[in-house]
Every structure is written in structure tokens, then in C-alpha cells.
Amino acid sequence: MERRFEGKVAVITGAAGGIGRAAVERFAQEGAAIVAVDLPSTALEEVVAAAEAAGAPTLAIPADVTRSADVENYAKAARERFGRIDAFFNNAGIEGWIGPMLQYPEDQFDRVLAVNVKGVWLGMKYVAPIMAASGGGCIVNTASVAGLTGTPGIIAYGASKHAVIGMTKTAALELAPFGIRVCAVCPAPIETRMMRSLERGINPDEPDAVHRQLASSIPLGRYGEPAEVAALVAYLCSPDATYLTGTIIPIDGGRMAR
Ligand code: NAD
């Protein structure tokens, strides 16, 4: 494995989840110091152990990304411990309630937008000035193919991921003068807890049938693996991608080619 992040610092939110944990491992293997952020209730210590086993100095910061004080704190902690932030994987997200829009609970709608939209904005708001202070860096926001098309059953999630794409483009324009690139990745179904939850939400009696049906709707015939998303995020943050910003990339086994 190349070590493209030797001497660099990566902050990753949703670090205890499927995609976030894979990103922690990838950045650690490529030489970055890691700041792993997730809710206090999560297994962040396991994530730290995996990153340290790969030789990465790692700091775990429990935070709720909807709370500005928590977000400011994780950005500040990264600067105090490591002096800089070079890569920011702004990835924490929730699927929310699953069901028809006409029955969608208002409190669930508000929570999905708080985590997936406000949390992403707050992350950029507090991390970008630290990146700028050391000459720039790269922010990768996690959107979804649900940010590119309509997806019945998850109206709040779809709205939130469309918003992530809009914020990514705006941030790319505003932050370019500071040497900060901002991109978004749009995964199709990836093998994580979130998809198990969506499969159960779509058909509580036969989630495996939903898995088979969704997998067969993808040209490559399968869900993606978290490590495949992590590899793309690492590429975007690396010196191999220095002319990419405002770029919205599906990682979807061909799904958006239909
Ligand atoms: P996951 O549930 O395994 O991980 C999400 C992580 O975000 C969890 O560890 C969770 O604790 C954390 N989180 C949730 N709310 C938070 C909050 N308020 N503050 C801090 N952390 C919080 O799911 P995943 O599949 O790894 O999802 C990661 C990202 O990828 C999400 O933004 C999700 O919407 C997106 N995504 C996932 C898929 C997929 O198929 N799995 C597809 C497209 C996009």
C-alpha cells in the first residue's frame, strides 16, 4: 500500500460505523494521524485500537455532529494534538424512519436533516479554517445515490443527501481560494448496518429478499464494500487528485449508468 498521508492528519466522522471505520483503517495504513469522531455510545475505542495497530497516532473524540460545541471541540482537539488537518471525511449520517412520505414523522424529518445536513455544514465550518491555516486540504462529504435520484420510502434522507451535494458545490467555490478542495461521494448500497436497517424497514419479514433484489438492481450485481468507498475517499484526499473540487462521484457498481 502507498503511504500518501505520511505526516498528514485525517479527521473522520461516523468513524465507528461501517464506512467510517474502513476509512480510518485506510488512512492509518497510508500513514496519516487519525482523529476519529462518533457518538459517545459507539465503539470508538475499537476503532482507535485498529488504527494504532496500523501504526497511526489516533485520537478519539466523542461528539454529536448536530451540536456546534461538539463540532468545534473535535476540530480544536485535532489542531491541539496534531497541529493541522489535511483531510476531513465528513461522513456521519443516519437513515431515519423508513416509510411513505405521507406518514413521515416530523420529528424524524428534523433529526435526519440535523445530522445529515447541519452536521455536515458545521463540520466544514469548524474544520476549514484549521485547514486553511496550514495551506489547504481536502474535505469529502458523504452524500448518496439518494442525493442524485428520488428514492421512495426515505424522503428525509433523500432530501438531506441532495442538500449535501448542494453544500459541497457551494463549499468548493467558497473554499477554493484557501486551497481547500471539497468533493462528495455518492455510494449505492454498501454492506453496513445502515443497509441492514433499510432492508428491514422496506420488508421486516424478508430483509434478505430485499438485499437480493437491491443487489440484482446494480449492474455489478452486488453491494459495495466499505473499503471500496474508503479507497475512493483516500484517492480524493491524496496528491493524486489535486485538480478535483466540487466533484460529485457516484460509487455505485454502475447503478447511475442506468
Ligand atoms: P453506519 O450506521 O454504519 O455509520 C454511521 C455512523 O454515523 C455511526 O457510527 C453513527 O454512530 C454515526 N452518527 C450518527 N449520528 C451521529 C451524530 N449525530 N454525531 C456523530 N456521529 C453520528 O452507516 P454507514 O453506512 O457507515 O454510513 C456512513 C455514511 O454513508 C452516512 O452518511 C450514510 O448516509 C452514507 N451512505 C451509506 C450507504 C450505505 O449503503 N451504507 C449508502 C450511501 C450513503
Side-chain angles (χ1 to χ4, degrees), residues 139-154:
I139 297 171
V140 178
N141 297 323
T142 306
S144 167
V145 290
L148 297 168
T149 60
T151 313
I154 47 172

PDB file of all heavy atoms in Angstrom, residues 139-154:
ATOM      1  N   ILE A 139     -11.772  18.204   1.773  1.00  0.00           N
ATOM      2  CA  ILE A 139     -12.963  17.762   2.505  1.00  0.00           C
ATOM      3  C   ILE A 139     -13.744  16.829   1.580  1.00  0.00           C
ATOM      4  O   ILE A 139     -13.977  17.171   0.415  1.00  0.00           O
ATOM      5  CB  ILE A 139     -13.852  18.962   2.889  1.00  0.00           C
ATOM      6  CG1 ILE A 139     -13.094  19.903   3.846  1.00  0.00           C
ATOM      7  CG2 ILE A 139     -15.170  18.486   3.503  1.00  0.00           C
ATOM      8  CD1 ILE A 139     -13.808  21.233   4.117  1.00  0.00           C
ATOM      9  N   VAL A 140     -14.123  15.665   2.100  1.00  0.00           N
ATOM     10  CA  VAL A 140     -15.009  14.772   1.346  1.00  0.00           C
ATOM     11  C   VAL A 140     -16.282  14.575   2.164  1.00  0.00           C
ATOM     12  O   VAL A 140     -16.234  14.085   3.303  1.00  0.00           O
ATOM     13  CB  VAL A 140     -14.355  13.412   1.058  1.00  0.00           C
ATOM     14  CG1 VAL A 140     -15.345  12.501   0.312  1.00  0.00           C
ATOM     15  CG2 VAL A 140     -13.084  13.585   0.231  1.00  0.00           C
ATOM     16  N   ASN A 141     -17.406  14.982   1.607  1.00  0.00           N
ATOM     17  CA  ASN A 141     -18.700  14.791   2.252  1.00  0.00           C
ATOM     18  C   ASN A 141     -19.340  13.507   1.732  1.00  0.00           C
ATOM     19  O   ASN A 141     -19.234  13.202   0.547  1.00  0.00           O
ATOM     20  CB  ASN A 141     -19.622  15.973   1.940  1.00  0.00           C
ATOM     21  CG  ASN A 141     -19.084  17.280   2.498  1.00  0.00           C
ATOM     22  OD1 ASN A 141     -18.503  17.307   3.588  1.00  0.00           O
ATOM     23  ND2 ASN A 141     -19.267  18.384   1.771  1.00  0.00           N
ATOM     24  N   THR A 142     -20.031  12.794   2.622  1.00  0.00           N
ATOM     25  CA  THR A 142     -20.722  11.585   2.165  1.00  0.00           C
ATOM     26  C   THR A 142     -22.153  11.939   1.795  1.00  0.00           C
ATOM     27  O   THR A 142     -22.968  12.260   2.661  1.00  0.00           O
ATOM     28  CB  THR A 142     -20.719  10.484   3.234  1.00  0.00           C
ATOM     29  OG1 THR A 142     -19.371  10.243   3.631  1.00  0.00           O
ATOM     30  CG2 THR A 142     -21.295   9.193   2.660  1.00  0.00           C
ATOM     31  N   ALA A 143     -22.442  11.900   0.500  1.00  0.00           N
ATOM     32  CA  ALA A 143     -23.827  12.021   0.024  1.00  0.00           C
ATOM     33  C   ALA A 143     -24.336  10.599  -0.194  1.00  0.00           C
ATOM     34  O   ALA A 143     -24.143   9.726   0.668  1.00  0.00           O
ATOM     35  CB  ALA A 143     -23.876  12.871  -1.231  1.00  0.00           C
ATOM     36  N   SER A 144     -24.943  10.330  -1.336  1.00  0.00           N
ATOM     37  CA  SER A 144     -25.540   9.004  -1.597  1.00  0.00           C
ATOM     38  C   SER A 144     -26.116   9.044  -2.998  1.00  0.00           C
ATOM     39  O   SER A 144     -26.405  10.137  -3.516  1.00  0.00           O
ATOM     40  CB  SER A 144     -26.672   8.754  -0.580  1.00  0.00           C
ATOM     41  OG  SER A 144     -27.465   7.646  -0.958  1.00  0.00           O
ATOM     42  N   VAL A 145     -26.365   7.880  -3.583  1.00  0.00           N
ATOM     43  CA  VAL A 145     -27.152   7.906  -4.821  1.00  0.00           C
ATOM     44  C   VAL A 145     -28.554   8.455  -4.542  1.00  0.00           C
ATOM     45  O   VAL A 145     -29.206   8.979  -5.444  1.00  0.00           O
ATOM     46  CB  VAL A 145     -27.245   6.508  -5.504  1.00  0.00           C
ATOM     47  CG1 VAL A 145     -25.904   6.093  -6.094  1.00  0.00           C
ATOM     48  CG2 VAL A 145     -27.780   5.452  -4.566  1.00  0.00           C
ATOM     49  N   ALA A 146     -28.991   8.388  -3.264  1.00  0.00           N
ATOM     50  CA  ALA A 146     -30.275   9.002  -2.890  1.00  0.00           C
ATOM     51  C   ALA A 146     -30.206  10.530  -2.936  1.00  0.00           C
ATOM     52  O   ALA A 146     -31.230  11.199  -2.785  1.00  0.00           O
ATOM     53  CB  ALA A 146     -30.704   8.540  -1.493  1.00  0.00           C
ATOM     54  N   GLY A 147     -29.014  11.084  -3.151  1.00  0.00           N
ATOM     55  CA  GLY A 147     -28.878  12.523  -3.378  1.00  0.00           C
ATOM     56  C   GLY A 147     -28.916  12.869  -4.864  1.00  0.00           C
ATOM     57  O   GLY A 147     -28.854  14.045  -5.234  1.00  0.00           O
ATOM     58  N   LEU A 148     -28.997  11.850  -5.702  1.00  0.00           N
ATOM     59  CA  LEU A 148     -28.971  12.061  -7.156  1.00  0.00           C
ATOM     60  C   LEU A 148     -30.297  11.702  -7.818  1.00  0.00           C
ATOM     61  O   LEU A 148     -30.561  12.136  -8.941  1.00  0.00           O
ATOM     62  CB  LEU A 148     -27.853  11.200  -7.776  1.00  0.00           C
ATOM     63  CG  LEU A 148     -26.426  11.528  -7.318  1.00  0.00           C
ATOM     64  CD1 LEU A 148     -25.454  10.430  -7.751  1.00  0.00           C
ATOM     65  CD2 LEU A 148     -25.984  12.877  -7.879  1.00  0.00           C
ATOM     66  N   THR A 149     -31.090  10.860  -7.150  1.00  0.00           N
ATOM     67  CA  THR A 149     -32.374  10.415  -7.721  1.00  0.00           C
ATOM     68  C   THR A 149     -33.420  10.410  -6.607  1.00  0.00           C
ATOM     69  O   THR A 149     -33.070  10.487  -5.429  1.00  0.00           O
ATOM     70  CB  THR A 149     -32.279   8.965  -8.249  1.00  0.00           C
ATOM     71  OG1 THR A 149     -31.936   8.117  -7.140  1.00  0.00           O
ATOM     72  CG2 THR A 149     -31.250   8.807  -9.341  1.00  0.00           C
ATOM     73  N   GLY A 150     -34.677  10.275  -6.971  1.00  0.00           N
ATOM     74  CA  GLY A 150     -35.721  10.075  -5.968  1.00  0.00           C
ATOM     75  C   GLY A 150     -35.643   8.658  -5.425  1.00  0.00           C
ATOM     76  O   GLY A 150     -35.327   7.722  -6.167  1.00  0.00           O
ATOM     77  N   THR A 151     -35.898   8.511  -4.129  1.00  0.00           N
ATOM     78  CA  THR A 151     -35.865   7.178  -3.517  1.00  0.00           C
ATOM     79  C   THR A 151     -37.081   7.026  -2.621  1.00  0.00           C
ATOM     80  O   THR A 151     -37.108   7.560  -1.498  1.00  0.00           O
ATOM     81  CB  THR A 151     -34.573   6.978  -2.686  1.00  0.00           C
ATOM     82  OG1 THR A 151     -33.437   7.402  -3.453  1.00  0.00           O
ATOM     83  CG2 THR A 151     -34.398   5.515  -2.304  1.00  0.00           C
ATOM     84  N   PRO A 152     -38.126   6.315  -3.087  1.00  0.00           N
ATOM     85  CA  PRO A 152     -39.326   6.171  -2.272  1.00  0.00           C
ATOM     86  C   PRO A 152     -39.020   5.558  -0.908  1.00  0.00           C
ATOM     87  O   PRO A 152     -38.177   4.666  -0.803  1.00  0.00           O
ATOM     88  CB  PRO A 152     -40.198   5.213  -3.108  1.00  0.00           C
ATOM     89  CG  PRO A 152     -39.699   5.365  -4.506  1.00  0.00           C
ATOM     90  CD  PRO A 152     -38.228   5.649  -4.391  1.00  0.00           C
ATOM     91  N   GLY A 153     -39.691   6.062   0.133  1.00  0.00           N
ATOM     92  CA  GLY A 153     -39.560   5.484   1.467  1.00  0.00           C
ATOM     93  C   GLY A 153     -38.590   6.205   2.378  1.00  0.00           C
ATOM     94  O   GLY A 153     -38.569   5.957   3.581  1.00  0.00           O
ATOM     95  N   ILE A 154     -37.775   7.084   1.806  1.00  0.00           N
ATOM     96  CA  ILE A 154     -36.798   7.793   2.660  1.00  0.00           C
ATOM     97  C   ILE A 154     -36.744   9.271   2.260  1.00  0.00           C
ATOM     98  O   ILE A 154     -35.696   9.785   1.883  1.00  0.00           O
ATOM     99  CB  ILE A 154     -35.397   7.136   2.616  1.00  0.00           C
ATOM    100  CG1 ILE A 154     -34.951   6.817   1.176  1.00  0.00           C
ATOM    101  CG2 ILE A 154     -35.339   5.894   3.489  1.00  0.00           C
ATOM    102  CD1 ILE A 154     -33.494   6.348   1.064  1.00  0.00           C
TER     103      ILE A 154
END
